[in-house]
């Protein structure tokens, strides 16, 4: 008797439940803005790479994320055809993100196949406002040196020779850590003749420093990005209309 009553109630509620679901579908695009165990919320929104559907509330294009492999939200690089940034953590309150520059992943793998190497960019050039590298990061500089320059670099105590680095000849590649962030991106004080520098931000170790010997771990742990809020829309008032 009791059970029958429950079934009756359930059957009676069913159309109502469908109505609510349909309403949600229309309103929110029918998808929760989830990627792996990340819930994407304002100002970010999510586009499904396969279906092209948007979840969340589409806002400025800068804040559009995609979902990589159904596990990690990805912030696109501002340089076309260059590798994006995988998001590891989002701190909405601080307006910051911890990200890994996927363009640096090849550096962590040994491979004899050097044909598939894309150019490796300085991380800062792949970012544009409202995103900026937080000043708490330190830079890691990779030097891709000529043979003569490598001989000189080997004598420098502060440089560590690379161990595994696909796309670069490790005998001629050196790592420097702990370089303070330079907003101009020039790092002119750290130039080495005969060596091409590639700069990427990394987080400080709990000691407050970074150690070039641990460059693989440092690259994997990512760095902090901050974002600025878009300026509030300007109100149209008759007085500023008259002025312009
Ligand atoms: C996400 O889930 C994985 C396991 O699937 C877990 O290891 C990780 O800590 C979770 N991350 C967050 C931010 O909850
Ligand atoms: C994507 O996920 C699969 C398993 O679901 C895993 O084997 C693969 O390594 C992942 N790829 C990336 C790029 O994370
Ligand atoms: C490293 O330098 C060599 C020449 O010294 C150049 O051919 C090569 O493309 C450079 N590699 C990268 C990844 O910048
Ligand atoms: C890497 O550099 C070393 C020393 O300059 C050289 O002997 C070696 O042939 C180079 N390896 C490759 C794969 O270019
Ligand atoms: C990275 O930045 C340094 C310093 O501005 C510059 O010398 C170097 O050519 C840049 N590397 C690439 C690959 O753009
Ligand atoms: C950096 O790490 C290496 C290897 O773990 C260690 O031998 C070295 O003492 C460390 N250097 C500094 C300055 O902490």
């Amino acid at each position: 008797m009791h059970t029958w009553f429950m079934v009756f109630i359930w059957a009676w509620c069913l159309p109502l439940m469908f109505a609510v679901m349909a309403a949600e579908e229309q309103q929110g695009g029918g998808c929760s803005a989830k990627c792996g165990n990340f819930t994407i919320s304002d100002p970010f929104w999510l586009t499904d790479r396969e279906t092209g559907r948007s979840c969340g509330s589409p806002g400025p294009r800068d804040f559009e994320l995609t979902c990589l492999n159904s596990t990690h939200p990805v912030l696109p690089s501002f340089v076309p055809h260059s590798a994006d940034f995988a998001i590891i953590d989002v701190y909405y309150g601080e307006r910051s993100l911890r990200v890994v520059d996927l363009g640096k992943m090849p550096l962590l793998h040994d491979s004899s196949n050097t044909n598939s190497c894309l150019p490796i960019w300085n991380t800062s050039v792949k970012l544009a406002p409202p995103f900026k590298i937080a000043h708490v990061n330190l830079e890691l500089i990779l030097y891709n040196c000529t043979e003569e320059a490598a001989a000189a670099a080997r004598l420098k105590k502060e440089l560590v020779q690379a161990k595994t680095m696909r796309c670069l000849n490790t005998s001629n590649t050196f790592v420097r850590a702990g370089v303070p962030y330079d907003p101009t991106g020039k790092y002119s004080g750290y130039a080495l003749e005969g060596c091409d520098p590639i700069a990427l931000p990394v987080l400080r170790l709990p000691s407050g420093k970074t150690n070039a010997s641990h460059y693989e771990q440092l690259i994997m742990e990512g760095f902090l990005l901050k974002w600025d809020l878009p300026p509030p829309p300007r109100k149209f008032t008759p007085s500023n209309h008259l002025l312009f």
Side-chain angles (χ1 to χ4, degrees):
M1 181 66 187
H2 190 72
T3 328
W4 280 111
F5 181 70
M6 293 302 285
V7 169
F8 171 75
I9 294 287
W10 180 77
W12 186 77
C13 287
L14 211 54
L16 195 70
M17 274 158 59
F18 279 123
V20 169
M21 277 158 69
E24 276 175 358
E25 184 127 351
Q26 266 173 4
Q27 201 184 35
C31 41
S32 67
K34 283 209 117 188
C35 176
N37 45 14
F38 288 85
T39 302
I40 307 301
S41 49
D42 192 50
F44 296 100
W45 50 289
L46 198 65
T47 297
D48 188 291
R49 274 196 186 169
E50 271 94 55
T51 63
R53 287 175 82 193
S54 296
C55 297
S57 44
R61 173 136 191 97
D62 297 333
F63 293 105
E64 179 184 6
L65 306 177
T66 55
C67 192
L68 175 74
N69 209 12
S70 307
T71 54
H72 280 93
V74 165
L75 178 73
S77 162
F78 285 78
V79 173
H81 313 298
S82 68
D84 300 328
F85 299 95
I87 296 176
I88 302 176
D89 253 319
V90 188
Y91 313 102
Y92 287 100
E94 282 106 72
R95 294 208 298 275
S96 64
L97 299 166
R98 188 154 67 91
V99 299
V100 169
D101 182 352
L102 294 174
K104 304 299 179 298
M105 287 299 110
L107 298 175
L108 305 177
H109 301 287
D110 216 353
S111 167
S112 45
N113 174 16
T114 48
N115 297 331
S116 63
C117 289
L118 291 166
I120 297 173
W121 298 81
N122 286 311
T123 298
S124 61
V125 303
K126 303 202 300 175
L127 292 163
F131 297 97
K132 56 185 182 207
I133 295 170
H135 293 186
V136 299
N137 298 288
L138 290 171
E139 297 287 314
L140 205 67
I141 301 182
L142 308 176
Y143 297 98
N144 176 21
C145 304
T146 61
E147 245 170 82
E148 306 81 72
R154 243 170 247 126
L155 302 176
K156 289 188 192 287
K157 273 214 311 279
E158 74 276 20
L159 300 182
V160 168
Q161 186 166 342
K163 290 163 278 191
T164 53
M165 266 203 195
R166 187 168 149 198
C167 306
L168 291 168
N169 184 340
T170 50
S171 348
N172 303 337
T173 306
F174 299 87
V175 185
R176 185 199 292 276
V179 174
Y181 176 66
D182 174 0
T184 68
K186 290 203 167 72
Y187 298 97
S188 31
Y190 300 92
L192 282 185
E193 206 174 322
C195 304
D196 264 348
I198 301 167
L200 65 144
V202 295
L203 286 173
R204 288 163 196 264
L205 296 175
S207 66
K209 297 213 173 91
T210 54
N211 183 334
S213 309
H214 305 158
Y215 73 86
E216 289 156 305
Q217 186 197 347
L218 291 169
I219 294 174
M220 297 268 285
E221 284 179 1
F223 63 97
L224 272 188
L225 267 187
K226 308 227 20 132
W227 74 84
D228 290 325
L229 288 179
R234 277 182 57 188
K235 282 216 179 88
F236 180 87
T237 60
S239 64
N240 69 33
H241 180 62
L242 284 177
L243 272 170
F244 299 106

